[in-house]
Amino acid sequence: MKKTMKFILVFVVFMSCSNGEPKKDISKKIVNVEAVLKEYMSAWAKHDKNQIESFYDDNVIWYDLPSDYTTKGKQKVGKAITDAFLTNVSGMYWVKQGDVFVSDNTITYEWIYGGIFTGKWGDTSIENKKFAIKGISTTSVNNKGKIYSQKDYYDLYGFQKQLGILE
């Protein structure tokens, strides 16, 4: 019985000192993924390829659902994503709209992307075609504030139709 009472006393003292809250692991930096996304989208609004790439972790993975293609590595992702969505688009805009969901270090959000496309799309030359498409992305950020996973889902058919590639 003495051991039980001693245990209860130690437990009560411990709980009163800690206020019943679990100890926080201060070795992990908590990152605000919404703030990182806001800064990342700001880099896109400035059309600054170097700043856009600075948000990627060295081992970032970008998955583009419409093309069912995955690109890996900071330099490859930086080039691929800006070539696809920035290089041939004047007046490019990409803005968050609609629902946003945050779970730990991952944010899922709706967006609209648009501008005026001039350039090659595959083998087709396109001149000054205005477009706007909707999509959803999932972005995961590590504890250093770097994007390590980007997954994009958007209406490729609608995009190609607006560019005049499809009827």
Side-chain angles (χ1 to χ4, degrees):
M1 187 70 166
K2 271 187 167 184
K3 283 185 180 182
T4 304
M5 288 302 284
K6 193 174 184 179
F7 173 77
I8 291 172
L9 180 61
V10 168
F11 180 76
V12 169
V13 169
F14 172 77
M15 291 304 287
S16 66
C17 291
S18 69
N19 295 327
E21 295 179 16
K23 296 198 183 248
K24 293 181 181 178
D25 181 1
I26 58 173
S27 66
K28 290 185 179 180
K29 179 181 171 187
I30 298 172
V31 175
N32 181 333
V33 293
E34 288 185 90
V36 171
L37 180 64
K38 183 178 180 181
E39 291 174 25
Y40 177 60
M41 291 183 89
S42 176
W44 277 93
K46 294 174 190 169
H47 303 172
D48 186 334
K49 291 181 181 186
N50 290 330
Q51 189 178 9
I52 291 165
E53 189 176 297
S54 75
F55 281 89
Y56 301 132
D57 179 77
D58 288 340
N59 299 309
V60 64
I61 296 173
W62 172 46
Y63 176 67
D64 184 71
L65 176 77
S67 65
D68 192 28
Y69 191 76
T70 301
T71 306
K72 298 177 183 180
K74 184 175 183 172
Q75 284 75 32
K76 287 181 181 178
V77 168
K79 181 173 176 14
I81 205 167
T82 58
D83 281 356
F85 297 106
L86 184 62
T87 300
N88 295 322
V89 182
S90 61
M92 188 283 300
Y93 60 90
W94 179 43
V95 293
K96 225 175 17 165
Q97 70 173 28
D99 294 329
V100 174
F101 301 96
V102 178
S103 178
D104 295 325
N105 65 335
T106 299
I107 185 168
T108 301
Y109 48 99
E110 296 177 48
W111 47 260
I112 189 163
Y113 161 72
I116 300 171
F117 191 95
T118 299
K120 294 284 259 180
W121 185 263
D123 293 332
T124 306
S125 290
I126 298 164
E127 291 292 325
N128 297 318
K129 289 288 188 168
K130 189 174 181 179
F131 72 93
I133 58 171
K134 293 181 179 182
I136 295 174
S137 290
T138 300
T139 303
S140 298
V141 178
N142 64 23
N143 64 355
K144 295 177 184 173
K146 298 293 183 182
I147 296 170
Y148 68 87
S149 175
Q150 174 79 26
K151 299 174 185 173
D152 295 327
Y153 311 89
Y154 55 92
D155 180 10
L156 180 61
Y157 174 79
F159 177 61
Q160 290 177 329
K161 193 170 178 181
Q162 291 175 62
L163 294 184
I165 297 170
L166 302 176
E167 291 184 28

